[in-house]
Amino acid sequence: MLRWIVFIVIFGILDLYAFQAFKTVARNNWLQILYWAVSILVIGNFVFYYFGFNRSDGFSHAHAYAFGFFITILIPKMILAISMIGEDIFRVPLAIYRYFTEGNSAKGNYFASRRQFLSQIALGIAAIPFASILYGIYRGKYNYKVLKYALYFEDLPQAFDGYKLTQISDIHSGSFDNMDKVRYAVDLINQQESDVILFTGDIVNNKAEELVPYKDVFNKLKAKDGMYSVLGNHDYGDYLRWDSEEAKSQNLEDLKALQNEIGFDVLLNESRYIEKGGEKIAIVGVENWGAGGFKKAGDLKKASSGIKKDDFKILMSHDPSHWEKEVIKDDYHYHLTLSGHTHGMQFGIEIPGWFKWSPVKWRYKYWAGIYKEMGQYINVNRGFGYLAFPGRVGIWPEITVIELKKGVKQA
């Protein structure tokens, strides 16, 4: 209870400061009433859904939107409040000076009026994240992007020169709220006509039943050399309170079965060969292995026990921290690793080919796109779905298409 009282007091102070900027520009009483009505409605809805909230009880669409709309008003109001506090850094000392120098001649009003142009600038700046977040909730979460790469390997078997794979990751089917948009994305995947489809984990938020409504959508996925998948940290059901360990175990078995029905070969610390023209490459799949407290069920040695050291290898591992901590140092040399997990935090700024930034870079060294270390590549997919925040801002849902090329890339 105490933390909620502190939270409401802090947000109230923030809101009062933000209102100073708003009322300087919007002098109409109805607009000012609307400001407070929206603020009270959003913060009240947030408190309603999160007071006493426990993640282990599950996370609904209502929780997601309560959080999303709270963030929508929080960030702009922080910008407004900071601008007003910045102005007060000058107004307060001036008011104190006038109090001691002007006395009664100031008629008790020692504070200079707020400058309208500063409020206008602050409102203009605040409008950018406000509009961006609303767009991210309304459209951004389904703004699918197909990102294409050509990667060169001198030891790629000749028969696989030009071989195409499509990677998707982090479907999080329990978060979806628009079946038609998901169908569109599945069609977009099939249009790439890749040889194989590789899914790198987190097909649900927590429960296998989340996937059931979308099973007939995802079983439209097709690739001539098959589809392979691995488990992500959310697929194990570790974040829920279960009635029993048996129920939790059954949920995982149900999830594997559903993926099989869709057409995925779920690799549980296993490997498979894909053969073409008398040559072959290895697809290796580990269970989730993540640094920083995440589940470490992945066993790289076990997964690779059925292949040879000199095979060309594609590794599927949900969490990119696995690549950083174990994979790139392994003497088996995994040519290409495919990961996801980070979602690019679903928030950031990207100018393709020029610039990318997200706060998640402070948590993960490899957080989005292609990286190369010690002659090995990793692609960190930004995710197909979304989690918690019901949108994406600047970091769009991704379908990755990678073409394997034999030789050395020409400058």
Side-chain angles (χ1 to χ4, degrees):
M1 175 64 78
L2 178 61
R3 65 177 180 177
W4 280 103
I5 294 173
V6 173
F7 166 78
I8 292 172
V9 169
I10 291 174
F11 192 86
I13 294 170
L14 178 73
D15 225 344
L16 286 171
Y17 258 105
F19 182 66
Q20 297 301 310
F22 184 80
K23 76 174 184 178
T24 302
V25 176
R27 299 183 181 279
N28 184 286
N29 287 338
W30 287 108
L31 287 176
Q32 295 179 18
I33 291 171
L34 180 63
Y35 173 96
W36 286 111
V38 170
S39 186
I40 292 170
L41 180 64
V42 171
I43 191 63
N45 188 54
F46 180 79
V47 172
F48 176 80
Y49 280 104
Y50 283 92
F51 184 81
F53 171 74
N54 190 320
R55 182 182 180 182
S56 63
D57 293 327
F59 192 83
S60 68
H61 286 139
H63 285 98
Y65 279 101
F67 176 68
F69 289 127
F70 174 67
I71 293 297
T72 302
I73 67 168
L74 174 64
I75 294 177
K77 287 184 178 185
M78 286 178 65
I79 293 171
L80 294 176
I82 289 170
S83 68
M84 294 300 98
I85 291 170
E87 187 177 11
D88 279 350
I89 291 174
F90 298 98
R91 291 175 75 234
V92 171
L94 180 60
I96 294 172
Y97 173 78
R98 292 185 63 194
Y99 173 80
F100 286 107
T101 59
E102 297 182 21
N104 293 333
S105 63
K107 298 180 180 179
N109 184 14
Y110 304 104
F111 282 91
S113 299
R114 291 198 179 275
R115 287 169 288 184
Q116 188 175 30
F117 81 94
L118 286 179
S119 297
Q120 290 173 332
I121 292 172
L123 283 166
I125 295 172
I128 296 172
F130 180 76
S132 298
I133 296 169
L134 281 181
Y135 175 83
I137 293 173
Y138 177 60
R139 295 284 299 273
K141 60 190 176 187
Y142 297 120
N143 186 22
Y144 296 100
K145 300 297 181 184
V146 178
L147 302 185
K148 298 183 178 183
Y149 305 97
L151 300 182
Y152 289 77
F153 305 89
E154 292 184 71
D155 56 348
L156 178 73
Q158 185 62 50
F160 288 87
D161 186 23
Y163 195 80
K164 282 203 313 182
L165 62 90
T166 288
Q167 180 199 2
I168 52 176
S169 192
D170 299 271
I171 286 174
H172 288 287
S173 53
S175 296
F176 291 140
D177 57 11
N178 191 319
M179 187 79 74
D180 288 338
K181 295 293 186 181
V182 180
R183 287 195 186 97
Y184 162 77
V186 168
D187 289 341
L188 195 58
I189 293 168
N190 287 333
Q191 288 170 22
Q192 307 314 308
E193 298 183 336
S194 289
D195 297 286
V196 66
I197 294 174
L198 305 176
F199 171 67
T200 47
D202 276 2
I203 202 165
V204 295
N205 294 342
N206 294 295
K207 292 184 175 182
E209 65 189 41
E210 299 167 18
L211 183 57
V212 173
Y214 294 92
K215 186 183 75 171
D216 291 339
V217 176
F218 287 113
N219 68 14
K220 299 293 192 298
L221 290 169
K222 303 295 177 187
K224 66 180 182 180
D225 289 337
M227 306 193 301
Y228 300 89
S229 70
V230 293
L231 299 177
N233 56 299
H234 280 266
D235 295 324
Y236 297 91
D238 287 342
Y239 304 122
L240 279 188
R241 183 187 296 114
W242 296 89
D243 293 335
S244 66
E245 280 300 314
E246 290 76 14
K248 181 181 178 183
S249 297
Q250 186 59 52
N251 177 74
L252 183 56
E253 293 307 311
D254 292 343
L255 183 64
K256 295 174 190 175
L258 280 168
Q259 291 201 48
N260 290 154
E261 290 175 31
I262 288 170
F264 285 112
D265 183 357
V266 186
L267 302 183
L268 305 169
N269 295 322
E270 300 172 279
S271 63
R272 304 283 188 269
Y273 279 119
I274 296 177
E275 298 189 15
K276 182 180 177 69
E279 298 180 294
K280 60 187 179 181
I281 62 175
I283 304 294
V284 182
V286 297
E287 294 196 50
N288 191 80
W289 192 105
F294 286 101
K295 192 179 191 74
K296 291 180 173 61
D299 188 331
L300 189 59
K301 296 298 182 186
K302 180 182 177 182
S304 302
S305 61
I307 63 174
K308 298 177 182 178
K309 184 176 180 179
D310 58 354
D311 285 330
F312 186 92
K313 296 173 284 295
I314 297 174
L315 173 67
M316 303 166 64
S317 181
H318 177 69
D319 191 318
S321 66
H322 188 212
W323 191 70
E324 178 185 1
K325 303 295 184 182
E326 290 198 342
V327 176
I328 55 176
K329 297 178 286 188
D330 194 282
D331 62 0
Y332 247 50
H333 187 86
Y334 294 86
H335 298 76
L336 172 62
T337 297
L338 303 176
S339 297
H341 182 63
T342 71
H343 299 207
M345 203 175 165
Q346 298 169 210
F347 175 85
I349 301 170
E350 283 201 77
I351 304 173
W354 290 89
F355 178 79
K356 65 180 179 183
W357 176 88
S358 168
V360 79
K361 69 177 294 183
W362 297 322
R363 173 65 175 83
Y364 290 94
K365 182 178 180 180
Y366 309 103
W367 61 274
I370 299 284
Y371 302 88
K372 186 178 182 182
E373 298 280 356
M374 299 173 64
Q376 301 165 80
Y377 288 98
I378 185 173
N379 180 63
V380 184
N381 185 286
R382 294 160 180 81
F384 183 92
Y386 52 94
L387 179 69
F389 174 67
R392 284 178 174 266
V393 180
I395 305 292
W396 311 121
E398 175 181 345
I399 298 163
T400 311
V401 179
I402 297 176
E403 183 178 7
L404 306 180
K405 302 291 290 182
K406 184 173 180 62
V408 179
K409 183 177 181 180
Q410 301 299 314

